[in-house]
Amino acid sequence: MKKRLIGFITLLLMLTGLGLAPDQANAEDGSALQRIQDAGVLVVGTSADFPPFEFYAVVDGERRVVGMDIMIAEQIADDLGVELQIQDIGFDSLLPALEARNVDVVIAGMTPTAERRRSVDFSDIYFETFQNLMVRAEDQEVFDSIESLRGQRIGVQSGSLQEGLAEQIPDAEIMSLTDLSDLLLALRTNRIDAMVMQGPNAEAHAGHDDSLHTFVGDFDLEDDDAGSAIAFRQGEDSLVEAVNETLSYIAEENLTEEFLAVAGEYMAQAELDEEGEEIEESFISSYWEYFRDGTLITLLISASAVFFGLVLGSLLALMRLSNKFLIRPLATAYIEFVRGTPLLIQVMFIYFASGMLFNLPALTAGIIAVSLNSGAYIAEIIRGGINSVNTGQEEASRSLGMSKKQAMRYIIFPQALKNIWPALGNEFITIIKESSIVSVIGVGELIFQTRVVRSISFQGILPLFVTMLIYFALTFSLTKLLNYYEGSMNHD
Amino acid sequence: MIKVNHLKKSFGKNEVLKDINEEFNQGEVVVVIGPSGSGKSTFLRCLNLLEEPSDGEIVFEGTPLTGLKEKELNQLRQKMGMVFQQFNLFPHKTAKENLTIAPVKSKGVNVNEANHKASQLLQQVGLGDKEEAYPANLSGGQQQRVAIARALAMKPDVMLFDEPTSALDPEMVGEVLKVMKDLAQSGMTMVVVTHEMGFAREVADRVLFMDNGSIVEQGTPEEIFSNPKNERTQDFLSKVL
Ligand SMILES: Nc1ncnc2c1ncn2[C@@H]1O[C@H](COP(=O)(O)OP(=O)(O)OP(=O)(O)O)[C@@H](O)[C@H]1O
Ligand SMILES: [Mg+2]
C-alpha cells in the first residue's frame, strides 16, 4: 500500500516536473555548450525523407542518414569536439522533440519562420533557398506560374513553410499531408494538380521521375523564409554562437556546394551498382533490407507489448477483482484513462515527457507506451475471462483446502485463458497493427521504413503493397499459431 | 467432531439460518432433509466456512473456525471433504489430475504418492479405467464419483454432501449412492443433504429436518419417517414419500 502511494507521488512529481523543465532551460544560459561538451555527444534531430538535405543511403554496406545537413552537422560536431548522433523523427515532431530535450538541435532544412521563432531560436541562415512548384510533365505548358494555377488543387506538407506560400495561389484548394511521398503520389495520380516544394528537394524528385516537372515559383518571400537554419531551444545562446561560427566558416569556404555534390552522388548511387554501372534491380532486392529491418522492429515491439501487456493486464485484472481499499479504484482509473485516450497521444506523451527527465530511446519509449496501452485492454479481457469461470470451480478448490492464490493459478486462470483465447488473439493482432503508431517518434518499424522506401525509391504504391503483404503474413501466421494452441487446450 | 453454536446467517435482510445449535460426532452419518429454500445448503456450507456465518461459532476438532487466519483455515478445510450437486470437477484436468492437484499443491504430498493414491481411489469408486478421461467425456454419475474420490484424496475426517444425486439422471443415482453407502460403512463421518429418503432410512444414524432456517425436528430415521411429531415434518414427508 505504501509503495503504491510513493509511486503515485513520484508520478505527480514527474507531471509537475514537465512544467518546470523549460524554465530550467532558460536559467542555464551559457552552460548549454558546456553541457554538450561534457556529454561528449551532439544529438541532432532530423527528418530523413528530404533529399538532398537528409535521406537514407548505403555507405560502406551500411544504411545511414546522409545529405548536406548531415555533413553540416558533422562539421559542427567536429568543431565542438564531440561525437555526432542523428535521430530520425517525423518533421511534425521535430520541434516538440527539441523542446522536450530528446535532441539538442534540429537540422532539417528548416525555414526560420516568425511562427517557429516564437517557440525556438535559430542559427544564421546556412542555405539560401528558393521555392518551387511541381506539376505533372504533361501539364508543363499550362502551368508555369502562380497565376496559371488559379483555382487548382495544390498539395503541401503540413506544418511546412510551403503550406503558407500555397495561400498566395488565388482560390487554390489546398491539401495538406504529413508525408511528401503521399503528396507526390497524389500528384501523379491526378488527385492534385501541383505542389509547392522546397527548391532543391523538388529538383531531386523531378530528376528521378520523368512524369514530373518543376520550376521556381514566383512567390513573395519574406527575408526569413528564404533559407534554412538550425533550431535550438530558447536561451541556449552559447551553443548558438558556437554553431554560427562553424556556419560562417562553411559559408566562407563555400562548402555547401561541395556538400550538395556529394549528396547528389549518394542519390545517384541508389541506381548504380558497385562497379558504377547502371542496373535495373528489382524493387524487392533493392529495398528488402528496409522491409526486413522494419519487420524485425515491428515484431520486437509487438512481442514485447504482448508479453508486458499480459503481465500488466493480469496484475490489473487481479487488482480489479480485489476488495482491498484503493486497489480496485486505482486499477479501474488506470484502465478507463488508458482506454479513453488515443494511443498516438500516449506514445508522444511518454516519449516527449520522458525526454525532459532522462533520455529514453525512442524504441524503448514506444515499447513502454504500447505495453501500457495493451495492458489496459488485456486487463479487461482477463477480468471478463475470470468472471466467466463458474463460481463452483473456486468453491471446489477452496473446499479442498487450496488458498485463494492456488485456486486462481491452477484452476481458475487456466480455464479463463481458454475462454478468452479468441479475444486475446484479436488483441495481439491489434497490437501488431497498432504498433505502427510509434513511427511518429521515429522508431524504424515497418510503416516508418515504408515511408523511407517511398521517399528514396520515388515509388508511391509498390512499397504500400509490399508492407500490406508483410502485415498480412504476420497476422495470419499469428492466427494460425493461436488456433493451434486453442486446439490443444480443448478438452470438451 | 463438529460443534455448531448459535449459528446465524443472513443475506442482506434475509435471515436464512436462525440460531442453530448442533453437534456431529465421530463416525456418525447425519442426513439433513427439508423443503427447498429452508437453508440446508447454507447450513452445510457454513460448516467449512464456504459461507461466512453472520454470527455464532463452528468448532471443528476443538478449534473454532470462525475468526481463524486464512492459512490455518485452509489447513482445516483439507480435513473436510465436500461434494457438490453440480460436481464442480476441474474441466481442464483429467480424472486423475482432479484427484492429485490439491494434495500436491496445497498439502505438499509428493507426486508419485498422490498418483498412487488417486489410482487406488478411482478403483474404489469403480472408475479404474477412466484415469486419463476428461470430465466432459464422463457421464454425470461417473463425474460425481470422481468428485467423491477427489474429496477423499485429501484424506478428510468428515465428508459433506450437498444433494449429490439431484443433478443426475435417475439411472445413475444408484451408482453414486452405492459409493456413499460403502463410505458410510467404512466409518466415515458424513453430513448429507439429500432428497433420497431411501438412503436416509438405510444409512443414516440421525435425520435432521430443517424448515425456514431452523432445525425443527430430529431423531433416528425410524422416529422421523414413521412417527414424525412436528406438523411441518409431517406435511413435508407426506409430499415427498
Ligand atoms: N449467496 C446468496 N445470496 C443471497 N441469498 C442466498 C444466497 N444463497 C442462498 N440464499 C438464500 O438463502 C435461502 C436458503 O437457501 P439454501 O440454498 O440454503 O436452501 P436449500 O435448503 O439448500 O434449498 P434447495 O433444496 O433448493 O437447495 C434461500 O432463500 C436463498 O434464496
Ligand atoms: Mg441446496
Side-chain angles (χ1 to χ4, degrees):
Chain A
M1 196 65 249
K2 211 178 232 168
K3 262 196 210 142
R4 210 164 292 289
L5 205 67
I6 292 173
F8 187 62
I9 290 170
T10 323
L11 188 75
L12 273 182
L13 285 179
M14 272 169 58
L15 289 173
T16 44
L18 303 186
L20 286 177
D23 295 341
Q24 285 168 2
N26 287 339
E28 71 182 11
D29 188 16
S31 64
L33 180 58
Q34 192 61 48
R35 194 194 66 233
I36 283 166
Q37 282 174 334
D38 288 346
V41 54
L42 177 72
V43 184
V44 171
T46 194
S47 182
D49 59 354
F50 199 58
F53 296 88
E54 40 266 333
F55 56 100
Y56 280 91
V58 178
V59 183
D60 300 333
E62 212 180 314
R63 244 158 21 78
R64 309 179 20 200
V65 182
V66 296
M68 186 185 87
D69 282 348
I70 308 306
M71 287 178 258
I72 291 176
E74 278 163 0
Q75 187 76 46
I76 293 171
D78 272 357
D79 289 355
L80 295 177
V82 296
E83 295 281 305
L84 175 64
Q85 188 187 325
I86 301 288
Q87 289 226 354
D88 180 17
I89 311 173
F91 192 80
D92 283 346
S93 303
L94 281 173
L95 293 188
L98 178 65
E99 290 177 275
R101 316 188 144 254
N102 294 91
V103 298
D104 296 317
V105 297
V106 167
I107 313 184
M110 189 177 274
T111 311
T113 58
E115 197 177 332
R116 287 182 182 138
R117 281 188 189 282
R118 254 180 261 141
S119 53
V120 296
D121 287 348
F122 280 97
S123 69
D124 297 338
I125 297 226
Y126 63 85
F127 185 72
E128 300 275 344
T129 188
F130 43 97
Q131 301 297 333
N132 268 28
L133 283 162
M134 174 86 96
V135 296
R136 283 180 294 275
E138 73 237 34
D139 292 341
Q140 58 180 295
E141 310 289 312
V142 200
F143 299 137
D144 54 4
S145 65
I146 290 183
E147 187 51 40
S148 69
L149 283 164
R150 175 183 285 274
Q152 300 298 330
R153 297 164 300 176
I154 309 296
V156 287
Q157 197 171 17
S158 53
S160 70
L161 164 78
Q162 290 78 22
E163 195 172 20
L165 293 182
E167 283 168 14
Q168 296 182 19
I169 302 172
D171 303 326
E173 206 180 294
I174 293 175
M175 173 159 131
S176 301
L177 296 181
T178 320
D179 198 336
L180 272 180
S181 308
D182 289 334
L183 288 165
L184 287 163
L185 183 60
L187 181 62
R188 286 193 205 103
T189 53
N190 293 316
R191 299 254 149 62
I192 53 177
D193 303 302
M195 286 170 63
V196 186
M197 286 177 83
Q198 199 253 17
N201 182 239
E203 282 169 0
H205 281 280
H208 275 88
D209 191 338
D210 293 339
S211 71
L212 298 177
H213 171 74
T214 189
F215 55 93
V216 178
D218 43 342
F219 295 102
D220 284 335
L221 296 177
E222 304 195 9
D223 284 351
D224 268 354
D225 293 351
S228 307
I230 299 173
F232 302 84
R233 275 187 290 280
Q234 283 179 341
E236 302 197 338
D237 297 346
S238 56
L239 186 58
V240 179
E241 263 166 49
V243 168
N244 277 339
E245 253 172 62
T246 303
L247 291 181
S248 70
Y249 168 74
I250 289 175
E252 271 165 37
E253 301 285 315
N254 216 353
L255 288 178
T256 43
E257 247 169 58
E258 198 177 298
F259 290 166
L260 274 176
V262 176
E265 276 167 34
Y266 281 130
M267 282 161 70
Q269 180 199 305
E271 292 147 42
L272 301 176
D273 74 358
E274 277 153 9
E275 274 77 50
E277 286 169 54
E278 202 157 334
I279 46 158
E280 265 299 312
E281 266 191 296
S282 79
F283 176 79
I284 294 296
S285 61
S286 320
Y287 300 111
W288 76 275
E289 283 186 348
Y290 294 77
F291 290 112
R292 179 202 59 194
D293 291 357
T295 306
L296 288 178
I297 301 240
T298 290
L299 278 176
L300 174 69
I301 298 170
S302 311
S304 317
V306 164
F307 176 78
F308 293 118
L310 272 176
V311 172
L312 177 67
S314 311
L315 201 76
L316 285 168
L318 292 179
M319 283 170 72
R320 274 205 85 163
L321 295 167
S322 142
N323 302 320
K324 292 214 184 75
F325 173 69
L326 252 183
I327 293 201
R328 183 163 34 175
L330 215 68
T332 310
Y334 177 85
I335 290 168
E336 293 302 331
F337 186 76
V338 169
R339 293 202 308 170
T341 49
L343 176 57
L344 177 67
I345 305 293
Q346 294 165 5
V347 168
M348 302 212 308
F349 180 80
I350 287 183
Y351 179 59
F352 294 133
S354 71
M356 301 199 147
L357 301 166
F358 43 85
N359 199 0
L360 202 57
L363 178 61
T364 315
I367 287 176
I368 292 176
V370 180
S371 303
L372 290 178
N373 181 276
S374 70
Y377 287 92
I378 291 177
E380 283 303 272
I381 296 175
I382 292 180
R383 187 175 69 109
I386 288 174
N387 284 339
S388 76
V389 176
N390 191 316
T391 52
Q393 292 292 311
E394 189 186 358
E395 287 180 358
S397 321
R398 307 281 278 143
S399 79
L400 290 165
M402 289 191 206
S403 68
K404 270 190 186 156
K405 257 193 209 146
Q406 289 172 329
M408 182 57 76
R409 175 163 167 205
Y410 299 113
I411 305 302
I412 301 181
F413 200 78
Q415 295 181 52
L417 193 62
K418 187 191 147 204
N419 293 346
I420 64 180
W421 201 245
L424 272 184
N426 265 340
E427 175 61 19
F428 295 165
I429 285 172
T430 306
I431 290 175
I432 291 186
K433 292 187 295 181
E434 300 244 296
S435 67
S436 63
I437 285 182
V438 303
S439 62
V440 295
I441 54 170
V443 176
E445 49 67 72
L446 195 45
I447 296 284
F448 183 91
Q449 301 290 6
T450 309
R451 203 177 297 153
V452 172
V453 171
R454 291 179 72 199
S455 84
I456 60 174
S457 69
F458 303 99
Q459 291 251 29
I461 299 175
L462 192 55
L464 295 182
F465 184 65
V466 172
T467 302
M468 218 152 63
L469 287 185
I470 295 176
Y471 271 114
F472 180 69
L474 292 182
T475 54
F476 190 69
S477 350
L478 180 68
T479 308
K480 285 281 165 219
L481 192 72
L482 291 169
N483 285 350
Y484 173 78
Y485 282 109
E486 183 168 17
S488 72
M489 273 193 294
N490 218 339
H491 301 308
D492 300 339
Chain B
M1 167 164 280
I2 306 180
K3 212 165 172 327
V4 180
N5 298 324
H6 299 291
L7 170 64
K8 290 181 190 162
K9 175 70 186 176
S10 307
F11 293 107
K13 286 213 171 72
N14 183 8
E15 194 174 36
V16 177
L17 298 178
K18 299 166 183 165
D19 195 21
I20 294 187
N21 293 286
E22 191 52 66
E23 189 165 357
F24 303 99
N25 300 310
Q26 174 80 45
E28 207 182 13
V29 176
V30 179
V31 167
V32 183
I33 59 173
S36 181
S38 57
K40 308 180 296 291
S41 298
T42 308
F43 176 50
L44 201 68
R45 292 155 56 84
C46 279
L47 295 181
N48 66 355
L49 254 67
L50 274 187
E51 290 302 349
E52 182 95 39
S54 306
D55 198 8
E57 199 182 36
I58 311 285
V59 183
F60 176 60
E61 297 180 340
T63 318
L65 298 183
T66 29
L68 270 192
K69 286 224 186 65
E70 182 72 28
K71 215 171 156 194
E72 298 155 318
L73 180 60
N74 288 338
Q75 269 170 10
L76 286 173
R77 275 209 188 106
Q78 295 174 359
K79 300 189 188 169
M80 309 170 94
M82 187 159 199
V83 176
F84 301 85
Q85 184 173 350
Q86 298 299 336
F87 330 137
N88 293 344
L89 287 182
F90 307 136
H92 60 306
K93 305 257 173 219
T94 62
K96 194 174 186 179
E97 288 165 350
N98 263 277
L99 268 65
T100 56
I101 176 111
V104 171
K105 297 299 178 190
S106 63
K107 221 176 169 187
V109 176
N110 98 18
V111 178
N112 286 335
E113 197 180 317
N115 276 329
H116 181 76
K117 177 80 182 166
S119 301
Q120 186 206 321
L121 281 169
L122 285 173
Q123 201 88 50
Q124 186 183 321
V125 298
L127 294 170
D129 55 338
K130 296 290 185 189
E131 284 186 4
E132 300 307 323
Y134 282 94
N137 299 325
L138 297 173
S139 73
Q142 291 171 329
Q143 286 191 55
Q144 193 60 298
R145 284 185 280 155
V146 174
I148 294 172
R150 175 176 71 179
L152 291 173
M154 295 298 286
K155 303 190 179 144
D157 294 344
V158 58
M159 288 281 284
L160 312 174
F161 293 83
D162 190 1
E163 303 199 26
T165 56
S166 295
L168 296 177
D169 291 341
E171 73 268 23
M172 294 176 183
V173 171
E175 61 193 62
V176 172
L177 290 181
K178 161 94 174 36
V179 168
M180 291 171 62
K181 275 177 210 165
D182 291 349
L183 196 56
Q185 258 143 35
S186 75
M188 175 64 75
T189 313
M190 292 163 66
V191 183
V192 185
V193 174
T194 186
H195 292 296
E196 293 296 329
M197 299 305 159
F199 175 85
R201 246 190 247 269
E202 197 181 330
V203 183
D205 297 313
R206 196 148 56 96
V207 175
L208 308 184
F209 174 70
M210 277 187 77
D211 191 19
N212 205 7
S214 308
I215 297 172
V216 177
E217 184 172 359
Q218 63 166 289
T220 61
E222 187 70 8
E223 287 165 349
I224 296 288
F225 291 116
S226 318
N227 196 10
K229 301 203 173 55
N230 190 292
E231 205 176 295
R232 283 187 277 171
T233 319
Q234 292 164 2
D235 187 43
F236 173 74
L237 289 173
S238 73
K239 281 179 195 147
V240 297
L241 289 179

